[in-house]
Amino acid sequence: MTAISFIVPMYNSASYLEKNLKSIAQMVGQKRAEAEVLLVDDGSTDETRAIAYRYAKKYSFIQVIEAFHQGVSVARNLGVANATGKYLTFIDSDDEFAPNFVDVFETLIVKEPDLVFVDLETVDKDTLLENIDAKQKISLFKLINRGRGNTGIGSKFFKRSFLEQYNLNCQIKLEKNYLLICNVLHEYF
């Protein structure tokens, strides 16, 4: 079984998808056996699908799934249905990653938790995360989230068996991500 499945819903993402896929290819790097990337095209009408297939042809760990335009929640659920990873995460087609992201993730799952929450930071290319101490990271996190906690789906890794046990999936209602996070927290705590 693959360790992690990155599920990337895409809709008319051509203008920024290339940057995302370069980042993913670099991040997965030598970890091809431990990671898969599922690019779920939600009926794009631009060059998104062509770019996705070009990367899938070049990298064996990338798979393209085509769908009719039904929205990001349906695309995410389609990704889950096709994923083989023990852990699943959802990323947006305009996200970028540090090259060591998969390595860091592997250190977080040693004890096989049901959920992994990570903080996401936006930094410019000249800022090194190593130069930001833990207290600064917490302050930045609170400032960005205004003390509410991060409800974004992209900063969570879900153990597949946990999602299946509680029949949790991405919902179309409410803010696309928030309902899933609320359901997860309700079942877990």
Side-chain angles (χ1 to χ4, degrees):
M1 177 182 277
T2 304
I4 182 170
S5 296
F6 293 94
I7 299 168
V8 186
M10 310 174 301
Y11 180 72
N12 290 346
S13 306
S15 64
Y16 43 82
L17 184 60
E18 190 100 28
K19 211 173 202 183
N20 168 273
L21 295 177
K22 283 180 184 178
S23 162
I24 288 173
Q26 186 177 20
M27 170 188 65
V28 173
Q30 299 301 314
K31 303 285 183 180
R32 287 184 175 99
E34 289 92 22
E36 71 177 351
V37 178
L38 302 174
L39 305 176
V40 184
D41 182 53
D42 188 31
S44 295
T45 58
D46 65 359
E47 294 300 311
T48 297
R49 191 174 291 172
I51 295 167
Y53 274 112
R54 191 169 66 242
Y55 273 80
K57 186 176 180 181
K58 187 173 181 180
Y59 299 102
S60 61
F61 56 87
I62 295 177
Q63 176 185 349
V64 179
I65 301 167
E66 295 183 22
F68 294 107
H69 184 57
Q70 297 179 67
V72 68
S73 296
V74 172
R76 285 180 176 145
N77 287 330
L78 184 58
V80 170
N82 285 275
T84 62
K86 185 173 186 175
Y87 285 88
L88 311 174
T89 192
F90 306 93
I91 58 178
D92 292 330
S93 57
D94 62 347
D95 291 342
E96 292 181 55
F97 295 89
N100 67 337
F101 187 81
V102 174
D103 295 325
V104 171
F105 171 75
E106 287 176 336
T107 66
L108 298 173
I109 62 166
V110 171
K111 294 184 180 180
E112 298 196 18
D114 290 332
L115 305 166
V116 176
F117 288 69
V118 296
D119 62 344
L120 300 175
E121 295 183 49
T122 301
V123 296
D124 63 46
K125 65 181 179 180
D126 298 321
T127 303
L128 297 176
L129 293 178
E130 293 82 20
N131 295 336
I132 301 174
D133 67 27
K135 189 174 181 178
Q136 289 171 314
K137 285 183 182 181
I138 291 169
S139 295
L140 178 62
F141 182 74
K142 286 180 179 177
L143 175 67
I144 292 169
N145 291 292
R146 297 189 180 113
R148 296 173 293 154
N150 186 341
T151 59
I153 199 167
S155 60
K156 318 294 184 283
F157 293 85
F158 305 93
K159 194 173 195 180
R160 170 189 289 285
S161 59
F162 175 79
L163 292 177
E164 291 169 348
Q165 177 182 355
Y166 294 105
N167 194 30
L168 297 169
N169 60 22
C170 298
Q171 302 292 320
I172 297 172
K173 301 173 191 168
L174 290 177
E175 182 192 316
K176 301 165 267 202
N177 312 321
Y178 188 68
L179 186 58
L180 174 63
I181 300 304
C182 288
N183 286 338
V184 166
L185 294 176
H186 172 74
E187 294 297 340
Y188 198 71
F189 299 105

